[in-house]
Amino acid sequence: MISIPANSDFSIHNLPFGIFSTRGTQPRVGVALGDHILDLKALSQYHDFDFDRSVLSQEFLNDFIALGKEKTSQLRRDIQQWIATEDPILFEKDALFVPQSDATLHLPIRVGDYTDFYSSIEHATNVGKMFRDPDNALLPNWKHIPVGYHGRASSIIPSGQPIVRPKGQILPKDQTLPVFKATERLDFELEMAFVVGKENSLGQEISVEKAEDYIFGMVVFNDWSARDIQKWEYVPLGPFLGKNFASSISPWVIPLEALEPFRVSGPKQDPEVLPYLQYKGMKNYDLNLEVGIRPENGKETLVSKSNFKYMYWNMAQQLSHHTVNGCNVRVGDLMASGTISGPEKSSYGSMLELSWAGTKPITLEDGSTRKFILDGDTVTMRAYGEKGTIRVGFGEVSTKILPSQ
Ligand code: MN
């Protein structure tokens, strides 16, 4: 049996699911535990599971998640119990554990549909101040609707996969005609995303009270953006090529139940929202978020520290709103929060805000400055909750930028 380092993201309280492979083996379902991965496919040869164990040999988690929370949560409780009681199989069969350093982590979900919300009031206010009216930054709908748009699932990529600087139409400053060139305003967006774990039928809305039953778990989400392309294209129908070239996700899906210790109350919603969006209880989560930039061959500088608890609209409200018109969601759909900024400048969740649209460059530890992300930079995002002795972390999502070709 492996030991779990005290400060590990992947404590006994976490048990996130992911898809991994080792050299010469097929992708399969695993659980992160300390610096190791518990190979569930291998474990199924020794322990009886009350579900079709073929879901553990799939290259995505979708079929496993579709078993339902009753089964997936029970499996987590079983693993916790086996560890607590020093189950002989887990403790004697070392081959069940693979060092994470020997494994490749794959995209965990076959993402069906991807929706991006815009639910951080600090972010929406900052963007409104920069591009519209500093005194009236929020649009009239913002405090009534969890604003969102339908994104593109095909370009959601796993941590570690580099991206090439995208090209597109850009309107140069003080010009009237666009040019075609590589973006000069490549940006990250610090977001969290939830994975839908249960479908509703077309025409059947999901209530706020029931919404969490439909959420399997969460990942860290870097919603890459090209601000100059976005600025020229977004009127009147919203984000398009400035957003759909890539979004990177962390490899481990943290089940919602592992985040229970970190529940907190959300900000007071004023004015009162419509009845179908009203909720009871604590539906925000106190999860620390951070973003680092590492220049080519350099050291990482932390450029932002934010928190998921700042969200004005919570996930239950987002999912309920998404389906209130009868829109159906499916297992493996991904719903991202929108950029998560906090009240302090050090907690802004994008370069757009950190450099205030490029007017205030930030300085990295090597003395170089950034308005936006440069070629060769690696952007890494991390998330974790800590309460007393309980730590539940997401690991990281890390992406390097390659020069435009
Ligand atoms: Mn976004």
Side-chain angles (χ1 to χ4, degrees):
M1 173 63 190
I2 51 105
S3 65
I4 303 168
N7 62 345
S8 177
D9 274 357
F10 306 118
S11 65
I12 186 79
H13 308 285
N14 192 345
L15 304 184
F17 297 100
I19 299 290
F20 77 101
S21 64
T22 49
R23 186 189 285 259
T25 67
Q26 293 298 311
R28 54 198 185 275
V29 177
V31 170
L33 201 55
D35 298 329
H36 288 73
I37 299 168
L38 173 59
D39 183 340
L40 289 187
K41 184 187 172 193
L43 182 64
S44 72
Q45 294 168 10
Y46 303 105
H47 268 296
D48 278 338
F49 294 141
D50 65 342
F51 54 80
D52 176 2
R53 67 184 193 184
S54 71
V55 299
L56 302 174
S57 320
Q58 308 288 323
E59 59 180 341
F60 293 104
L61 289 173
N62 297 52
D63 290 349
F64 173 74
I65 291 171
L67 292 172
K69 280 199 197 197
E70 206 175 300
K71 297 232 182 321
T72 57
S73 303
Q74 185 60 48
L75 177 58
R76 287 182 70 256
R77 288 193 295 272
D78 287 347
I79 294 171
Q80 283 167 339
Q81 176 76 7
W82 293 333
I83 292 170
T85 57
E86 305 198 358
D87 178 90
I89 291 172
L90 237 56
F91 278 73
E92 286 162 23
K93 301 240 185 274
D94 281 345
L96 295 179
F97 291 95
V98 174
Q100 285 186 30
S101 53
D102 289 353
T104 301
L105 297 172
H106 302 269
L107 192 70
I109 306 289
R110 183 191 289 114
V111 180
D113 285 300
Y114 152 50
T115 299
D116 196 19
F117 286 93
Y118 190 56
S119 290
S120 153
I121 194 165
E122 288 84 1
H123 173 69
T125 303
N126 285 339
V127 172
K129 278 183 188 169
M130 268 183 259
F131 295 118
R132 285 185 298 272
D133 181 354
D135 300 320
N136 206 6
L138 290 179
L139 286 166
N141 63 1
W142 199 89
K143 286 188 168 179
H144 299 279
I145 294 176
V147 169
Y149 73 97
H150 286 121
R152 185 152 183 93
S154 64
S155 52
I156 292 175
I157 57 172
S159 178
Q161 182 172 332
I163 59 176
V164 171
R165 178 176 297 274
K167 291 184 262 195
Q169 281 202 28
I170 293 162
L171 186 69
K173 201 171 188 297
D174 305 322
Q175 308 268 314
T176 52
L177 294 175
V179 296
F180 178 74
K181 64 176 186 179
T183 176
E184 291 174 355
R185 299 195 151 207
L186 183 60
D187 201 356
F188 59 78
E189 289 186 336
L190 171 60
E191 305 194 19
M192 302 292 288
F194 68 83
V195 179
V196 172
K198 183 177 165 184
E199 66 180 39
N200 63 321
S201 323
L202 186 64
Q204 187 75 55
E205 77 271 25
I206 299 171
S207 67
V208 170
E209 299 82 56
K210 293 269 172 62
E212 288 175 356
D213 297 343
Y214 290 77
I215 299 173
F216 174 75
M218 299 190 70
V219 293
V220 187
F221 191 89
N222 182 351
D223 190 24
W224 290 99
S225 302
R227 300 300 182 191
D228 37 13
I229 297 172
Q230 183 183 359
K231 190 176 182 187
W232 170 236
E233 75 180 1
Y234 88 102
V235 181
L237 288 187
F240 193 26
L241 302 184
K243 309 290 271 187
N244 70 3
F245 58 94
S247 301
S248 315
I249 65 172
S250 55
W252 295 106
V253 183
I254 316 298
L256 207 55
E257 57 262 34
L259 300 174
E260 281 300 319
F262 313 110
R263 273 189 194 272
V264 288
S265 299
K268 181 172 163 48
Q269 296 184 322
D270 182 23
E272 190 173 72
V273 298
L274 285 169
Y276 80 93
L277 288 168
Q278 291 173 10
Y279 68 96
K280 292 193 181 72
M282 299 189 288
K283 296 220 182 285
N284 280 43
Y285 293 85
D286 181 3
L287 296 173
N288 301 288
L289 311 174
E290 55 186 47
V291 186
I293 299 176
R294 183 166 64 83
E296 183 102 65
N297 302 318
K299 274 174 54 183
E300 180 180 288
T301 302
L302 277 191
V303 297
S304 177
K305 283 187 166 188
S306 187
N307 196 302
F308 190 49
K309 72 182 176 189
Y310 295 131
M311 302 306 292
Y312 188 85
W313 296 101
N314 59 55
M315 294 185 286
Q317 291 179 309
Q318 290 169 340
L319 186 54
S320 180
H321 179 69
H322 201 304
T323 59
V324 75
N325 64 345
C327 172
N328 55 324
V329 297
R330 293 176 293 198
V331 172
D333 286 357
L334 205 57
M335 313 244 165
S337 57
T339 308
I340 305 163
S341 293
E344 313 293 334
K345 279 183 179 162
S346 59
S347 60
Y348 292 172
S350 64
M351 289 301 291
L352 180 71
E353 294 160 272
L354 289 165
S355 76
W356 209 254
T359 60
K360 295 174 184 166
I362 60 169
T363 304
L364 304 186
E365 278 171 28
D366 66 0
S368 65
T369 59
R370 293 290 183 283
K371 295 174 178 172
F372 292 93
I373 300 302
L374 299 181
D375 291 345
D377 286 353
T378 298
V379 175
T380 301
M381 296 177 177
R382 301 178 188 87
Y384 62 93
E386 263 178 345
K387 191 172 184 187
T389 56
I390 298 177
R391 181 183 168 102
V392 171
F394 286 69
E396 61 181 39
V397 53
S398 190
T399 314
K400 183 175 181 179
I401 303 303
L402 305 178
S404 195
Q405 288 153 352

